[in-house]
Amino acid sequence: FVLACVSGHAQQGSYISLKQHTEILENRKKIANDIDIFFDKGKQIITKYYHSDPDFILMVNALGEIKSYYPKTNQVDYTQVDEMSSKRNLIYYFTNNFTDQLGLADDGFQLASSGYENQFFVTKWKAPSTLKGIESVKMVFENGLPIYSEYLSNKRKAIKKTYYTNYKDFTQFRLPLKIIEVDYTPTGDSIINRTVFSDIKISPTADQQYFNFKIPANAKPISPDQKR
């Protein structure tokens, strides 16, 4: 009976879907895009539908195997990037409650110190030698949740700041509905990336087609010339 209850609870949120709206502000210009995200926690597959020109569907698994399918032309592209693994995605970290370092350890960072600064819990991470130009990362937590992170260069200047806000409780996990990233360029300018999540749905069944999306067997591979 206990095992059955545990198994049933674990399956309650096996399928998570949400909408993502991102705006990038750079050189006084704004670029916006919309993405529908479908996360199969059991298979550890993230499927994204990009509302772009042209629209395309991207699927990535835990091994970093990426499939990109373009419905209008019935073309497909395959690649593998370890850093793009579904287990290195913020959606994966938050929905599995792996929020203590949000993938820093996966990137080779090592915990250097931790402690309280006023009411906030702060951790500092030392960058691996393979990451040129980055010395450390500072993470700030409130009530056990990350609210801010800061990447510092070798000159101890902030080169990236991230703010996690508007947390919402979904029983099994808590997710920030707004993430703001500020990247500082060598020229002194900044690139602002603002992401808003909405329409979050959690289901025990794959109730939407993209959870079990299959690329048509007759899809044509994209040629190397088209990738240039």
Side-chain angles (χ1 to χ4, degrees):
F1 175 79
V2 172
L3 290 176
C5 288
V6 171
S7 176
H9 177 76
Q11 295 176 0
Q12 285 181 1
S14 296
Y15 301 93
I16 301 169
S17 64
L18 62 159
K19 296 184 181 298
Q20 173 182 318
H21 177 76
T22 298
E23 295 178 346
I24 301 175
L25 304 176
E26 182 179 4
N27 294 329
R28 299 183 181 180
K29 294 181 180 180
K30 180 172 71 173
I31 301 175
N33 62 67
D34 291 285
I35 306 170
D36 297 337
I37 302 175
F38 306 86
F39 179 31
D40 183 335
K41 291 183 68 177
K43 296 180 180 179
Q44 296 184 346
I45 293 176
I46 294 178
T47 302
K48 297 182 179 182
Y49 186 100
Y50 285 79
H51 297 269
S52 56
D53 186 19
D55 290 4
F56 69 97
I57 300 161
L58 184 147
M59 305 170 65
V60 59
N61 62 18
L63 299 176
E65 297 172 338
I66 304 170
K67 301 176 184 178
S68 301
Y69 175 66
Y70 297 82
K72 290 183 179 179
T73 59
N74 193 34
Q75 289 181 297
V76 63
D77 186 37
Y78 300 94
T79 187
Q80 181 172 6
V81 183
D82 293 342
E83 291 78 13
M84 293 290 289
S85 162
S86 60
K87 298 178 69 174
R88 305 282 289 272
N89 189 285
L90 279 179
I91 296 299
Y92 174 87
Y93 291 129
F94 278 107
T95 56
N96 284 284
N97 296 304
F98 299 148
T99 56
D100 58 330
Q101 40 88 13
L102 293 180
L104 288 175
D106 293 332
D107 291 332
F109 285 81
Q110 293 185 336
L111 182 63
S113 66
S114 63
Y116 281 91
E117 294 182 9
N118 298 320
Q119 75 271 32
F120 303 109
F121 185 71
V122 178
T123 59
K124 295 181 180 179
W125 298 76
K126 183 180 179 180
S129 58
T130 53
L131 283 181
K132 304 301 181 182
I134 300 177
E135 182 179 273
S136 62
V137 174
K138 175 182 178 180
M139 291 192 68
V140 180
F141 298 81
E142 185 176 31
N143 298 323
L145 294 171
I147 60 171
Y148 174 76
S149 67
E150 180 179 86
Y151 282 71
L152 295 174
S153 70
N154 295 333
K155 296 181 180 180
R156 296 187 177 276
K157 290 184 177 180
I159 56 178
K160 181 176 182 177
K161 296 180 180 180
T162 305
Y163 303 84
Y164 306 91
T165 65
N166 293 12
Y167 273 93
K168 185 173 181 179
D169 192 342
F170 292 95
T171 304
Q172 296 181 55
F173 60 86
R174 285 176 287 183
L175 180 72
L177 300 187
K178 179 184 290 186
I179 299 175
I180 298 176
E181 298 173 286
V182 183
D183 289 280
Y184 297 93
T185 65
T187 61
D189 294 329
S190 62
I191 302 172
I192 301 175
N193 189 319
R194 181 168 56 214
T195 297
V196 176
F197 298 112
S198 63
D199 198 20
I200 295 93
K201 297 178 181 178
I202 305 169
S203 175
T205 59
D207 56 356
Q208 300 190 54
Q209 62 172 327
Y210 291 107
F211 284 121
N212 292 309
F213 180 76
K214 302 293 183 183
I215 295 174
N218 64 346
K220 300 178 181 179
I222 293 178
S223 67
D225 291 338
Q226 290 178 292
K227 297 180 183 180
R228 295 175 183 173

